[in-house]
Amino acid sequence: EPEVTQTPSHQVTQMGQEVILRCVPISNHLYFYWYRQILGQKVEFLVSFYNNEISEKSEIFDDQFSVERPDGSNFTLKIRSTKLEDSAMYFCASSPPGGSGYTFGSGTRLTVV
Amino acid sequence: GENVEQHPSTLSVQEGDSAVIKCTYSDSASNYFPWYKQELGKRPQLIIDIRSNVGEKKDQRIAVTLNKTAKHFSLHITETQPEDSAVYFCAASTLLRGYNKLIFGAGTRLAVHP
């Protein structure tokens, strides 16, 4: 069964540093997403991406965040200057048109110290 | 924007009993309602979903019901087993656009005791 792959599985970074979280969506999917889950809380939508541009973003997704699909296979989330409150599990997801077959990656646990 | 409320936050049942988790949503345009199971430290896994043109859907021990008028939907697990223990999230989405932004409920921690 096709999977969404995320790397790294765990990243520890100093406050103020930039981090890049990487994802490889399912190859025939067209829509890509990032979600965040703070420990013990619900999964929250950050951004959706289609046709090389952002379709929608939440209020969490401020100027410190950016997304990119640099090479046609990877989908990245960059946090420019990390804050302690950015510590969370970040899930990448992808879906084909129509919404069914929505698949989450295994997540990257980001710890900001 | 859409808001999804989920109850209860924790649920403890004996093995073999049924478990029911309820969600309400606010946006009448929402038309797709998936349920996810999340084990500790793992990704959310889709267990069942329902679209707004259907009132009920069943898959073995799991069923979901939808009441569009009242804007609520429920997950029913029958004959619970210890391996059903996990956090369950409901979500709501509008599939009018090509993409599918999910708005999640706060989750229900289900514990099934042998």
Side-chain angles (χ1 to χ4, degrees), chain B residues 9 15 37 39 63 81 91 93 95 98 101-102:
Chain B
S9 56
E15 183 176 1
K37 176 183 180 182
E39 295 173 347
Q81 300 164 4
S93 173
L95 291 182
K101 178 181 85 172
L102 297 176

Side-chain angles (χ1 to χ4, degrees), chain B residues 19-90:
Chain B
V20 180
I21 302 170
K22 299 182 179 182
C23 289
T24 59
Y25 61 98
S26 61
D27 188 351
S28 56
S30 291
N31 57 8
Y32 175 67
F33 307 93
W35 285 89
Y36 287 86
K37 176 183 180 182
Q38 188 178 35
E39 295 173 347
L40 190 62
K42 298 198 174 176
R43 77 186 83 191
Q45 295 265 19
L46 178 69
I47 56 171
I48 196 168
D49 57 10
I50 192 167
R51 299 195 183 217
S52 59
N53 58 348
V54 175
E56 184 172 354
K57 184 176 177 181
K58 190 171 181 181
D59 182 5
Q60 300 183 336
R61 296 187 297 109
I62 293 171
V64 58
T65 59
L66 171 65
N67 182 328
K68 283 193 300 182
T69 304
K71 293 190 200 156
H72 65 70
F73 56 113
S74 301
L75 177 72
H76 304 253
I77 307 174
T78 58
E79 301 171 30
T80 53
Q81 300 164 4
E83 50 266 39
D84 293 330
S85 297
V87 179
Y88 291 81
F89 291 96
C90 62

